[in-house]
Amino acid sequence: FSSFDFCQDKEEKRPSENLGQVLFGERIASSPYKFTFKKQETCKKVCTRSYDPGNSADKSKLAFLKKGMQLNYQHHWIIDNMPVTWCYDVEDGQKYCNPGFPIGCFVTPDGRVKDACVINSEFNKKNTFYLFNHVDITIMYHSGKDENWPGARLNDVYNLLYCFSPISYKHTDENNLSCEGPPMEIPGEFTNKLNLIYTYSVTFEEKNNIKWASRWDYILESMPHTNIQWFSIMNSLVIVLFLSGMVAMIILRTLHKDIARYNQIDSSEDAQEEFGWKLVHGDVFRPPRKGMLLSVFLGQGTQIFIMTFITLFLACLGFLSPANRGALMTCAVVLWVLLGTPAGYVSARMYKTFRGEKWKTNVLLTALLCPGIVFADFFIMNLILWVKGSSAAIPFGTLVAILAMWFGISVPLTFVGAYFGFKEKPIEHPVRTNQIPRQIPEQSFFTKPLPGIIMGGILPFGCIFIQLFFILNSIWSHQMYYMFGFLFLVFIILLITCSEATVLLCYFHLCAEDYHWWWRSFLTSSFTAVYLFIYAVHYFFSKLQITGTASTILYFGYTMIMVLIFFLFTG
């Protein structure tokens, strides 16, 4: 905010942020717009900024402000923990409320009206920037008179943009402000001296039909996405029903037939030759190649799976609503740190089942491999933010705190889990493994590993891609994400789809006498992460207007963290 040369608060205060806010780069500072409850203000001056074309510092400040308008930068204001929203009418007489409002807008040299300039027909001059230097703020409050308690509570802060506010005014005399007249134009070519006067008006309205507990509802109701959500859920349920039908059919009909046929053969005198999956029974539990890595991935995936489940469950119950800023991220990080024990246990038990010997390496890799990759990526992203002077850069103290949580809590808990995992007996196999590995016959195209894995990822991705759009919007376009009920449903559907798609494809390639199923069962559903990455690339080029190398590196750096976590989770 301070780099845009807006008005600054002389006695700037910063509230202490929680871990989630710090990681997401949410920095809150006090503003120079001062209100007194129930005191109306009309066209009150905040400050003046003057720009001289002869001064190089002024020139660069103004150029930066123009760039912000071109890229549609938004103000995000908070009053009493409520976001200041810009509400305007959309079709069908509905109101849409956006948490945040633009700093200004731009008309291109060929006369195309961009972004917020469509709200006023006066914004029509070619190659001109229009700065929203005035805001009309309506604060609605709930009085305590009816319920016999003293005082009042703020309900919501509307920044009613239906009547074109925030507004652009060209104030000619700063001692006699009227907040009327033509808009504040900043020409594309900066040649004359320019004075920008920032002003605001405040009105208070009593609104007793809204209870304090439901004061966020107007923002959520105005977001017209619930129909799409139901469509997405239906779409996912159809995929799940289709898969469940297939799996049920195979398990009931085919396996039932197979088993009946095998029993018949056993009872008959002349045992015919075996066929199908029965042929590979002596090789199916042969430990996989790279069993160490697979067991580490399974441990890490279990940790992420339990973390996601608990976080989404708490979010569904309303503990992690948007009103608790940063609560979602804080909860996820703390849970991940505390869930080292299941990761260590699963990894150790699987590794023991694979008849592995190097248990120390296994425990260390489980505790350090994937978190290490995430932390290294995060650290590089933070360095870029720090070099660029971004407010989203994480302070050194927080990085040390995260490292302390990882090495002081998560790693020891992983060791505890691994201790119990290695003490347990390995998982008993129902059949003995042959001494000599069986030769795998020539496979058809569809039962080869790669085509099977690529096909396996499509179905789970089909279940989540609509939710993915909203999640990416909430991360990159500062939209609020509050549909945790839908997300939890989709999470459950994703689990079922991943499991069933894997069971199905596993059965097909066992029937084709290919007994290398360990890695394939992990990679079939975790290939969904590759589709997630492809979708993120598509989103980057189609929805975001990101310029500059640093921003692109940041986008893909954070995307890679999401993809890795999703890879482990689905696998």
Side-chain angles (χ1 to χ4, degrees), residues 19 300 302-315 320 327-343 405 409-410 413-414:
L19 183 65
Q300 290 286 322
T302 309
Q303 188 174 6
I304 290 163
F305 163 64
I306 301 172
M307 173 198 86
T308 315
F309 182 82
I310 299 174
T311 307
L312 287 181
F313 186 68
L314 292 176
L320 309 174
L328 188 77
M329 191 67 172
T330 309
C331 175
V333 171
V334 169
L335 278 171
W336 182 86
V337 166
L338 296 176
L339 286 166
T341 312
M405 283 167 72
I409 305 170
S410 183
L413 285 174
T414 310

Side-chain angles (χ1 to χ4, degrees), residues 37-336:
F37 187 52
K38 283 193 180 174
K39 186 184 170 193
Q40 314 271 13
E41 299 280 7
T42 311
C43 207
K44 189 170 180 187
K45 185 181 132 187
V46 189
C47 73
T48 307
R49 292 280 188 259
S50 300
Y51 299 94
D52 184 357
N55 185 326
S56 61
D58 284 1
K59 254 183 158 169
S60 67
K61 279 178 186 172
L62 197 64
F64 196 66
L65 192 63
K66 287 177 182 173
K67 191 179 181 188
M69 289 188 237
Q70 264 177 326
L71 295 172
N72 195 23
Y73 268 67
Q74 309 264 324
H75 286 285
H76 286 274
W77 290 6
I78 302 162
I79 298 179
D80 187 41
N81 199 34
M82 283 293 292
V84 176
T85 52
W86 167 35
C87 293
Y88 48 92
D89 287 4
V90 287
E91 66 269 8
D92 307 332
Q94 288 180 312
K95 221 183 204 79
Y96 179 71
C97 292
N98 189 37
F101 57 92
I103 61 176
C105 63
F106 170 55
V107 179
T108 59
D110 57 357
R112 270 186 310 126
V113 178
K114 301 280 280 183
D115 300 317
C117 279
V118 297
I119 62 177
N120 192 342
S121 57
E122 287 185 7
F123 301 158
N124 53 22
K125 218 179 253 187
K126 290 181 181 178
N127 196 21
T128 303
F129 294 85
Y130 292 93
L131 177 76
F132 294 143
N133 57 335
H134 174 85
V135 280
D136 269 351
I137 296 178
T138 309
I139 296 179
M140 303 193 181
Y141 63 93
H142 178 104
S143 166
K145 281 186 299 209
D146 309 341
E147 292 149 45
N148 299 321
W149 46 267
R153 279 169 157 172
L154 290 196
N155 269 338
D156 39 40
V157 186
Y158 279 129
N159 204 349
L160 286 166
L161 257 196
Y162 171 50
C163 46
F164 308 133
S165 134
I167 311 168
S168 183
Y169 284 133
K170 188 169 188 174
H171 300 296
T172 44
D173 179 6
E174 68 177 284
N175 299 318
N176 184 17
L177 298 167
S178 64
C179 290
E180 285 173 349
M184 181 69 236
E185 296 169 358
I186 302 175
E189 301 298 323
F190 175 40
T191 48
N192 302 325
K193 198 172 179 207
L194 195 65
N195 275 344
L196 301 180
I197 302 169
Y198 290 90
T199 54
Y200 69 97
S201 303
V202 186
T203 48
F204 285 87
E205 273 179 32
E206 192 172 322
K207 209 169 189 186
N208 289 336
N209 60 340
I210 300 176
K211 291 275 182 282
W212 189 81
S214 53
R215 65 186 191 146
W216 282 75
D217 290 4
Y218 80 99
I219 302 179
L220 310 184
E221 282 162 8
S222 80
M223 293 187 172
H225 297 322
T226 38
N227 301 343
I228 302 173
Q229 296 289 344
W230 282 117
F231 166 74
S232 124
I233 298 281
M234 287 298 136
N235 161 38
S236 309
L237 280 172
V238 167
I239 293 178
V240 166
L241 285 172
F242 162 72
L243 276 174
S244 303
M246 290 276 286
V247 171
M249 199 170 77
I250 281 175
I251 287 172
L252 290 173
R253 279 191 51 203
T254 323
L255 282 183
H256 187 73
K257 258 193 200 158
D258 286 354
I259 289 164
R261 192 161 47 189
Y262 289 140
N263 290 344
Q264 252 178 340
I265 290 166
D266 286 347
S267 61
S268 66
E269 291 298 309
D270 50 336
Q272 293 166 25
E273 199 186 337
E274 294 175 340
F275 51 86
W277 52 264
K278 184 87 188 282
L279 285 169
V280 294
H281 71 83
D283 294 275
V284 80
F285 293 112
R286 193 176 298 288
R289 280 167 276 184
K290 305 257 189 301
M292 168 81 84
L293 193 61
L294 182 60
S295 60
V296 168
F297 280 175
L298 289 173
Q300 290 286 322
T302 309
Q303 188 174 6
I304 290 163
F305 163 64
I306 301 172
M307 173 198 86
T308 315
F309 182 82
I310 299 174
T311 307
L312 287 181
F313 186 68
L314 292 176
C316 274
L317 298 179
F319 292 121
L320 309 174
S321 75
N324 304 345
R325 293 169 196 286
L328 188 77
M329 191 67 172
T330 309
C331 175
V333 171
V334 169
L335 278 171
W336 182 86

Side-chain angles (χ1 to χ4, degrees), residues 355-367:
R355 303 200 282 276
E357 303 285 319
K358 303 176 186 163
W359 62 271
K360 287 176 191 165
T361 317
N362 172 262
V363 182
L364 284 169
L365 281 177
T366 307

Side-chain angles (χ1 to χ4, degrees), residues 499-554:
S499 318
E500 291 185 339
T502 308
V503 168
L504 209 61
L505 288 160
C506 193
Y507 175 79
F508 288 143
H509 72 78
L510 284 178
C511 283
E513 299 174 35
D514 180 357
Y515 52 83
H516 294 308
W517 65 277
W518 295 100
W519 271 107
R520 278 179 71 165
S521 66
F522 183 88
L523 293 172
T524 299
S525 52
S526 67
F527 200 79
T528 314
V530 176
Y531 292 111
L532 173 79
F533 180 71
I534 294 166
Y535 185 80
V537 173
H538 161 74
Y539 182 85
F540 178 81
F541 288 110
S542 66
K543 294 282 184 292
L544 299 177
Q545 304 162 340
I546 286 182
T547 55
T549 321
S551 301
T552 309
I553 294 170
L554 285 170

Side-chain angles (χ1 to χ4, degrees), residues 402-462:
I402 292 171
L403 277 173
M405 283 167 72
W406 176 18
F407 285 104
I409 305 170
S410 183
V411 173
L413 285 174
T414 310
F415 275 82
V416 170
Y419 171 75
F420 287 110
F422 280 118
K423 271 188 75 172
E424 288 271 329
K425 281 194 185 126
I427 299 163
E428 290 285 318
H429 295 319
V431 286
R432 266 205 334 273
T433 305
N434 294 341
Q435 290 287 318
I436 301 160
R438 183 189 160 79
Q439 200 176 353
I440 297 170
E442 184 67 35
Q443 297 292 309
S444 73
F445 176 74
F446 291 106
T447 54
K448 279 181 181 155
L450 202 62
I453 289 167
I454 291 170
M455 284 188 299
I458 293 173
L459 289 171
F461 181 74

